[in-house]
Amino acid sequence: MLKVDHIRKDFPILSRQVNGKPLVYFDNAATSQTPQQVIDVIVDYYSNYNANIHRGVHTLSQEATDKYEEARNTVQRHFNAKHNYEIILTAGTTESINLVAYGFTTLLSKGDEIIVSALEHHSNIVPWQMLCERTGAILKVIPANLDGELIMNAYDDLLSDRTKLVLVNHISNALGTINPIEYIIKKAHDFGAAVLIDGAQACPHLIPDVQALDVDFYVTSAHKMCGPTGVGMLYGKEEWLTKLPPYQGGGEMIDQVSFEKTTYAGLPHKFEAGTPNICGVIAFGAAIDYMNAIGFSEIAEYEHELLDYGTKKLLEIEGLKIYGTSKNKTSVISFNLEGIHPYDVGTLLDKMGIAVRTGHHCTQPIMDFFKIPGTVRASFAFYNTKSEIDVLVEGVKKAKMMLM
Amino acid sequence: MQTIKEIQEEIIDEFSMFEDWEERYQYMIDLGKDLPLIEAQYKTEDNIIKGCQSKVWVHAELNNDTIAFTADSDAIITKGIIAILIRVFSNQHPSAILEANTDFIDAIGLKEHLSPTRANGLVSMIKQLKMYAIAYQTQLN
């Protein structure tokens, strides 16, 4: 059983006030808050062993290198990658996706097909559209139904021998739908296509086992799971990472450099040009440790309780419609009040100290599908409470009264 | 005719009567509801200012030597702020519009809505009002 009162004490930000009211932070799907345990690691790094890694013979550099590589091993163990060099440390999900999309430029030809889903974040659409422009490949889209679930029959019909890549998020950021990625991966492999799963929204709620999933690429960001911004990971199967060319040139990623010919370093350094976000990566490792100490099954169970409670309470408000009504979803409630723009609701909630996201959530295609300009999105984390949900519900009622 | 400065001061006076954010926002929401809508023929793609969060439409007409603005938005609070901006800038001479600033928005506690990161279309709207003023100023000369 998760002790939320105890856990909340780990997060200094949760005790601050916004506009004179206690903060109710329900924008966790955009970024999670940082516990003191992770903040301490960041302070410790800059206070005690800040140095560049992988090259210094001096003590500080070695300490920093050890901690950095330890963090890589933590990530490897957490996602159950076969080798630690299959974990590429990046600036985040977006960079991870762009790295792979860039790499496929030389592996695709005109007429090849790439499949994305209707639920994708712009960051898992645009890099592939750019790849299509470079290669002449064709982008196909798995449609969604009115519950915000991907239609698997339609996916089956899209697959063919021309399919080279399938790109789907594990969990939708706008709606919270958990997508059937096991099925998606298996079917894609039947046609010899590689699969990249965008796990940015999944990793705060569950532990993906990349070997059990048999996924080719899995990407995520640290800041969605209690870590710092500007850090993320790309898991790739060794065979794929070996096939992909380097993404950026620079220091760290080379073996030998001369003006005649440069040879590249092996994995993972081939994809980690330049000085990385050393402190951020070490803090990413600490964030994973922190979440594991609480326990992902406890987190999932508690968040589900919040989801059920929030859904029930919000639906009691007349004229409130929830978008994303799959039975299989995480603690995200995307909603609108009938006849009221989400921007207005979000603005008034902010005045009451309640942080929600409003807008299209970088998922314009799915908003167009629902024919709405956007939604108000409340996303709960394991440090939120039912009484905070009560504050949200009262806030929405008040906003409705003011706006009607 | 009231000058822009006089209108701005009048608005600051009006807002100083409100005791808290609720009264302030309720007033803006009511202004938004009362804003005379832009004529349908002008609510075109050309006249649209796309914010990430809300959309704004602006239309301008030269009447003798003053500009009349009409506008609309899909979000009511944005519309309320538009109503205030139109009250300040509409039916003024282009040169007066070009000289004016929007510092009074700070004084009435709505600064955050004119932040460039707010992405509600209002910053671009003000730019657009000034662009119309430049264009008509040139025409008048």
Side-chain angles (χ1 to χ4, degrees):
Chain A
M1 190 61 188
L2 186 142
K3 290 195 182 73
V4 69
D5 292 344
H6 190 71
I7 286 170
R8 286 179 71 81
K9 293 198 183 101
D10 292 340
F11 293 83
I13 208 170
L14 295 180
S15 56
R16 73 160 276 185
Q17 299 214 322
V18 168
N19 292 320
K21 310 276 172 18
L23 166 68
V24 171
Y25 187 77
F26 283 157
D27 195 17
N28 294 288
T31 202
S32 55
Q33 293 305 340
T34 317
Q36 192 61 49
Q37 288 87 334
V38 174
I39 297 171
D40 286 346
V41 167
I42 295 167
V43 173
D44 182 43
Y45 171 80
Y46 283 110
S47 308
N48 291 311
Y49 59 96
N50 176 28
N52 212 333
I53 55 169
H54 292 145
R55 39 190 152 224
V57 292
H58 60 83
T59 305
L60 293 193
S61 173
Q62 299 217 335
E63 281 179 19
T65 305
D66 287 349
K67 294 272 192 190
Y68 182 88
E69 288 305 324
E70 237 174 79
R72 190 194 308 277
N73 293 340
T74 302
V75 177
Q76 178 210 346
R77 279 194 304 275
H78 183 72
F79 292 97
N80 193 32
K82 198 168 173 184
H83 307 289
N84 61 1
Y85 52 79
E86 290 175 323
I87 301 294
I88 311 301
L89 297 161
T90 66
T93 302
T94 299
E95 192 191 41
S96 300
I97 293 171
N98 277 282
L99 188 159
V100 177
Y102 174 81
F104 267 89
T105 309
T106 51
L107 302 178
L108 293 188
S109 342
K110 198 168 183 247
D112 283 345
E113 291 178 3
I114 298 176
I115 298 177
V116 296
S117 96
L119 295 178
E120 295 316 302
H121 190 282
H122 295 163
S123 65
N124 203 24
I125 300 173
V126 182
W128 308 110
Q129 285 175 325
M130 291 161 69
L131 174 63
C132 287
E133 279 170 20
R134 289 194 298 270
T135 59
I138 299 156
L139 198 73
K140 303 261 171 174
V141 184
I142 312 169
N145 64 24
L146 286 170
D147 284 319
E149 296 165 326
L150 295 179
I151 302 169
M152 282 301 101
N153 289 340
Y155 171 57
D156 292 344
D157 293 342
L158 290 179
L159 284 163
S160 76
D161 295 335
R162 291 183 301 276
T163 312
K164 293 291 179 283
L165 272 169
V166 177
L167 317 140
V168 178
N169 57 28
H170 195 161
I171 292 176
S172 147
N173 73 306
L175 309 176
T177 315
I178 304 173
N179 292 315
I181 61 164
E182 294 83 357
Y183 179 85
I184 289 169
I185 293 165
K186 200 176 161 304
K187 290 294 278 192
H189 285 171
D190 288 346
F191 289 88
V195 181
L196 178 142
I197 300 294
D198 168 1
Q201 293 297 325
C203 295
H205 309 291
L206 51 86
I207 304 178
D209 179 328
V210 293
Q211 287 191 78
L213 287 168
D214 193 27
V215 66
D216 303 288
F217 302 99
Y218 195 98
V219 297
T220 198
S221 294
H223 73 96
K224 309 275 194 197
M225 42 191 310
C226 300
T229 55
V231 182
M233 72 126 197
L234 159 66
Y235 160 80
K237 280 183 185 165
E238 181 178 4
E239 59 188 278
W240 276 113
L241 292 180
T242 309
K243 247 181 252 178
L244 296 185
Y247 174 51
Q248 291 180 325
E252 289 262 353
M253 56 76 71
I254 48 90
D255 173 31
Q256 294 289 325
V257 176
S258 72
F259 286 112
E260 289 68 44
K261 184 173 172 58
T262 291
T263 52
Y264 305 123
L267 294 173
H269 307 292
K270 173 174 127 183
F271 294 110
E272 294 180 7
T275 299
N277 186 346
I278 302 165
C279 175
V281 165
I282 296 167
F284 183 19
I288 289 174
D289 287 342
Y290 176 81
M291 291 195 75
N292 276 314
I294 291 171
F296 274 86
S297 56
E298 283 79 3
I299 287 173
E301 194 187 334
Y302 179 72
E303 287 177 344
H304 213 85
E305 229 177 88
L306 292 180
L307 173 67
D308 287 347
Y309 183 77
T311 305
K312 184 174 142 268
K313 285 285 176 181
L314 282 170
L315 283 176
E316 284 170 9
I317 299 170
E318 212 190 303
L320 186 143
K321 184 175 176 182
I322 292 178
Y323 295 88
T325 44
S326 172
K327 283 188 182 65
N328 217 359
K329 66 179 269 191
T330 46
S331 48
V332 169
I333 304 179
S334 234
F335 65 91
N336 274 330
L337 291 166
E338 199 184 345
I340 296 177
H341 198 283
Y343 176 77
D344 292 323
V345 181
T347 300
L348 296 181
L349 288 177
D350 175 56
K351 288 281 152 202
M352 303 177 223
I354 305 164
V356 291
R357 175 79 188 267
T358 63
H360 53 57
H361 317 296
C362 297
T363 57
Q364 279 179 357
I366 196 69
M367 297 295 131
D368 291 346
F369 171 72
F370 284 121
K371 297 190 173 59
I372 48 177
T375 66
V376 181
R377 184 188 68 185
S379 50
F380 312 132
F382 59 91
Y383 43 72
N384 289 128
T385 65
K386 284 185 189 170
S387 59
E388 286 182 309
I389 292 176
D390 293 338
V391 174
L392 170 71
V393 172
E394 286 312 306
V396 173
K397 281 184 191 164
K398 186 173 189 165
K400 184 186 159 190
M401 221 173 60
M402 290 179 74
L403 291 161
M404 284 301 275
Chain B
M1 192 177 78
Q2 274 181 302
T3 66
I4 287 183
K5 197 82 196 147
E6 283 163 359
I7 300 170
Q8 290 183 343
E9 270 156 23
E10 196 175 83
I11 293 171
I12 293 171
D13 264 2
E14 284 167 22
F15 270 78
S16 69
M17 291 188 297
F18 300 133
E19 298 204 335
D20 56 20
W21 73 268
E22 278 183 67
E23 287 183 6
R24 223 164 49 230
Y25 273 77
Q26 195 61 65
Y27 179 65
M28 277 206 304
I29 290 164
D30 295 340
L31 282 180
K33 284 178 185 163
D34 293 342
L35 178 71
L37 292 183
I38 193 168
E39 279 177 60
Q41 70 197 81
Y42 300 124
K43 217 168 156 178
T44 57
E45 272 297 309
D46 282 348
N47 283 340
I48 202 169
I49 296 167
K50 280 183 189 153
C52 189
Q53 297 270 350
S54 56
K55 291 178 195 165
V56 173
W57 290 266
V58 183
H59 172 67
E61 260 173 33
L62 189 65
N63 297 329
N64 299 320
D65 60 352
T66 63
I67 307 176
F69 292 111
T70 51
D72 197 2
S73 172
D74 54 352
I76 198 96
I77 295 174
T78 307
K79 225 163 132 175
I81 296 167
I82 290 174
I84 295 171
L85 291 172
I86 288 203
R87 185 170 147 199
V88 170
F89 288 107
S90 199
N91 302 312
Q92 296 287 344
H93 192 274
S95 60
I97 295 169
L98 286 172
E99 280 165 23
N101 64 40
T102 54
D103 292 351
F104 77 105
I105 291 284
D106 274 14
I108 60 174
L110 299 175
K111 185 185 173 189
E112 71 224 44
H113 292 279
L114 292 194
S115 139
T117 56
R118 189 84 181 189
N120 52 14
L122 285 174
V123 172
S124 315
M125 176 188 166
I126 293 167
K127 226 178 265 168
Q128 194 63 39
L129 298 183
K130 299 247 177 186
M131 291 297 283
Y132 277 120
I134 291 173
Y136 285 128
Q137 171 90 311
T138 319
Q139 202 174 313
L140 286 174
N141 293 342

